Amino acid sequence: MKLLSDVHERNASLFPNAPAIVFGQQVISFGSHWRRLNQLADGLHRGGARRQDRIAMLAMNTPEYIEAYGACERGGYIFSTVNFRLAAPEIAFVLKDSAPHTLIFEAQYAELVDSLRSELEIESYICLGGQTPPWALSYEEVLAAGSPEGPPFRGKPDDGVLIMYTSGTTGRPKGVLRSQYGEARLAEVMAGQLAMTSDGRQLLMMPFFHAGSRSQYIGSFWKGGAVHMHRVFDPQLILKTIEADRITHLHLAPTMVQSILDVPDIGDYDLSSVRTILYAAAPMPVPVLRRGLAVFGPVFANGYGSTEVNCTCHYPHQHKLNGTPDEVRRLGSVGQPATDTDIRIVDDHGNECPAGTPGEVVARSGTALMRYWNNDKATAQSLRDGWFRTGDVGYLDDEKFLFLVDRKKDMIISGGENVYCREVEEALITHPALSDVAVIGVPDAKWGETVKAVAVLAPGRHATQDDLIEHARSLIARYKCPKSVIFVDDLPRLPSGKVSKVILRQLYGACL
């Protein structure tokens, strides 16, 4: 069976001079990419790393990130990503938990890494770019010492190849261990679901420590397509890159789509090359979707997944704003089960729910995690008989379109009634004065919990708390409607683009 290292080798053989990675003015061919990842894999081996040792990386988006991923795929190491946005104690926890043999870090993080070294049991430190500190090795020197043939071993299908840490929305982040086999299946699924091709040019700016960018670029490589990288999200630069490089595929959170659509001169750019914009991590407000379709055409595809199960559902190019009642209703869904994925909706006792009845979403897929790293309890709680319990509450319609209604832990119980945050949010966001909104439960002596909305007004628009509450009452039952509304400039978000309900509850959850 083909693994990702086989894909890199195939691309180097079939398209040696074709661009694999484009980063500003830097263009790396498939031939060069294969040679460099082999050298890095062997350089790590010469430095003492062995199969299934962990290789951690602390860096922003850079071509070497994809290179390090590839070296671990080739050499049978386990790559462990580190979120550069975390605070020092959080980074220390991730590094202690994954216990890497080697940490590759960008020079900008040298002072941070140095401050943590006494707490860690890392054998080798490799500095990328900038000035290398005396206690670390230079990335390019390690790579130059390695053989273009790679180390004397390769990854196997049932090897672990990646530990990616969750966002930590329910406490400490959990390390999700993914396999060589599962990552290859994920690449094949994404390539098929998004119709990727060898002439495709994908633009990615989501952080590469996150599952989103990872799933997208391996899908492109599966077909021999090029990956264009941005270091950070810059809406104007994205539009310039689409026009100049004839970008065909993009992966964006809905908030990013809105920011791009808000660029004042967007109409001056040639965006005709775009074939697919995959949005994921959060629902797309229908007003934003309408604007997007008007600017880009029918290129939008919705995706639903997780670090643990990857691409669970997909809704490709089926957005019909003026379609039949069923087609319009399904704009609120996250699509149908992806290739290689089965989905069930179960109640608290594990019994399957009938169509239209909410319950917990459980999924089974060849792309799913092997287990949680160093966390048997969490593994036992989440993986049962091959089915992963997502913690999401949703329902399936009669054609297996999945509608999400809440995170299980975020569901509000008010006066004994279940209130699903997403249902309230979808009602509120239709108010023309809003650009964003999130709903949380707050303690209440009489009702147990009541609904609170945290709202962001659109530029130049105005609305009061009473306006929004009355608007919600016209669309959903009164007991589901907010009892209070607070207006903010922006909502706190995780790297994936999801709203951080943990932070919202910390800031606004103690009072009405």
Side-chain angles (χ1 to χ4, degrees):
M1 62 171 296
K2 294 292 185 183
L3 300 179
L4 291 180
S5 60
D6 300 313
V7 172
H8 300 315
E9 187 173 18
R10 179 205 65 192
N11 289 343
S13 174
L14 299 182
F15 325 113
N17 299 313
I21 304 167
V22 180
F23 185 65
Q25 299 302 309
Q26 185 179 3
V27 180
I28 301 169
S29 69
F30 279 114
S32 177
H33 178 58
W34 174 241
R35 182 176 62 256
R36 284 179 61 88
L37 72 84
N38 270 289
Q39 288 181 272
L40 178 58
D42 191 54
L44 292 169
H45 177 239
R46 291 169 189 253
R50 297 297 180 261
R51 286 187 66 258
Q52 297 299 275
D53 276 348
R54 273 75 62 208
I55 308 297
M57 189 156 190
L58 174 62
M60 295 178 67
N61 287 0
T62 176
E64 288 82 2
Y65 218 118
I66 295 180
E67 205 163 78
Y69 268 123
C72 291
E73 292 152 8
R74 165 65 179 84
Y77 312 121
I78 299 175
F79 190 63
S80 180
T81 63
V82 184
N83 179 350
F84 60 80
R85 295 170 176 165
L86 297 178
E90 296 171 308
I91 290 175
F93 168 79
V94 168
L95 292 174
K96 289 176 184 177
D97 189 62
S98 59
H101 174 278
T102 300
L103 171 63
I104 303 171
F105 64 93
E106 277 194 293
Q108 64 174 312
Y109 302 115
E111 185 176 346
L112 168 64
V113 172
D114 193 23
S115 72
L116 298 177
R117 284 196 303 134
S118 62
E119 304 177 41
L120 306 173
E121 297 182 0
I122 294 175
E123 294 187 33
S124 179
Y125 293 88
I126 299 175
C127 182
L128 172 61
Q131 184 173 352
T132 301
W135 43 267
L137 302 170
S138 161
Y139 181 91
E140 288 299 328
E141 288 177 359
V142 170
L143 190 142
S147 167
E149 301 301 316
F153 45 79
R154 294 184 78 138
K156 301 177 181 178
D158 56 355
D159 281 347
V161 72
L162 173 60
I163 300 174
M164 197 169 274
Y165 281 81
T166 63
S167 303
T169 56
T170 57
R172 290 280 198 185
K174 297 189 288 290
V176 177
L177 178 64
R178 293 159 44 162
S179 71
Q180 290 267 7
Y181 171 85
E183 293 300 279
R185 296 289 67 70
L186 175 61
E188 185 176 23
V189 167
M190 295 311 301
Q193 296 277 188
L194 298 176
M196 294 175 174
T197 58
S198 59
D199 66 343
R201 293 168 296 279
Q202 184 177 69
L203 177 58
L204 297 173
M205 72 298 300
M206 298 278 266
F208 270 69
F209 63 72
H210 185 260
S213 284
R214 165 67 174 175
S215 67
Q216 298 303 293
Y217 94 76
I218 61 176
S220 281
F221 279 8
W222 189 266
K223 289 291 189 178
V227 174
H228 296 239
M229 300 175 65
H230 283 179
R231 194 156 169 84
V232 295
F233 173 68
D234 181 332
Q236 190 96 47
L237 180 59
I238 287 171
L239 292 172
K240 291 178 180 178
T241 304
I242 292 173
E243 180 176 74
D245 296 342
R246 306 304 293 158
I247 297 299
T248 60
H249 290 72
L250 298 96
H251 170 51
L252 302 163
T255 54
M256 293 177 168
V257 174
Q258 183 163 321
S259 295
I260 291 169
L261 294 173
D262 287 342
V263 173
D265 60 348
I266 188 172
D268 295 338
Y269 292 92
D270 179 2
L271 309 176
S272 60
S273 62
V274 176
R275 302 174 194 166
T276 298
I277 298 176
L278 174 68
Y279 66 92
M284 178 88 76
V286 173
V288 177
L289 184 58
R290 287 186 183 278
R291 291 175 61 199
L293 290 168
V295 171
F296 287 97
V299 300
F300 287 89
N302 192 0
Y304 162 64
S306 65
T307 307
E308 292 88 346
V309 192
N310 297 295
C311 180
T312 307
C313 278
H314 192 233
Y315 193 4
H317 309 141
Q318 297 171 334
H319 299 88
K320 298 179 181 178
L321 297 175
N322 301 307
T324 67
D326 275 346
E327 289 170 338
V328 172
R329 177 178 57 83
R330 285 170 178 156
L331 290 174
S333 83
V334 292
Q336 296 166 302
T339 306
D340 202 42
T341 301
D342 298 314
I343 288 177
R344 297 168 56 220
I345 307 296
V346 300
D347 62 22
D348 290 340
H349 304 289
N351 301 312
E352 195 154 354
C353 298
T357 301
E360 184 174 7
V361 182
V362 298
R364 180 175 61 186
S365 172
T367 69
L369 79 165
M370 299 173 73
R371 63 181 184 276
Y372 286 113
W373 183 257
N374 289 339
N375 200 332
D376 292 341
K377 181 179 178 180
T379 301
Q381 289 173 339
S382 298
L383 272 176
R384 303 180 191 176
D385 299 322
W387 292 86
F388 178 75
R389 305 184 75 90
T390 67
D392 289 325
V393 178
Y395 65 89
L396 292 168
D397 70 8
D398 55 0
E399 292 186 17
K400 301 295 184 183
F401 279 86
L402 175 63
F403 293 78
L404 298 178
V405 295
D406 215 343
R407 286 290 292 169
K408 197 170 184 180
K409 64 181 182 296
D410 290 338
M411 186 178 70
I412 301 166
I413 302 177
S414 183
E417 297 280 2
N418 292 345
V419 178
Y420 298 113
C421 293
R422 183 168 177 180
E423 182 181 9
V424 185
E425 291 162 354
E426 288 181 343
L428 288 169
I429 198 62
T430 60
H431 193 288
L434 289 191
S435 67
D436 210 353
V437 68
V439 164
I440 58 173
V442 295
D444 184 87
K446 180 178 180 181
W447 303 107
E449 288 182 294
T450 55
V451 179
K452 183 172 199 170
V454 184
V456 179
L457 291 171
R461 305 304 293 266
H462 175 75
T464 66
Q465 171 177 283
D466 290 344
D467 292 337
L468 297 184
I469 292 173
E470 286 303 313
H471 178 74
R473 286 176 177 173
S474 70
L475 298 171
I476 55 177
R478 291 177 70 92
Y479 74 86
K480 300 178 182 178
C481 294
K483 298 295 189 290
S484 62
V485 179
I486 185 169
F487 293 94
V488 299
D489 293 332
D490 203 5
L491 297 178
R493 293 187 180 272
L494 302 169
S496 63
K498 295 178 183 177
V499 172
S500 175
K501 294 289 181 82
V502 172
I503 294 177
L504 285 180
R505 283 191 286 267
Q506 289 172 347
L507 293 174
Y508 311 114
C511 56
L512 287 173

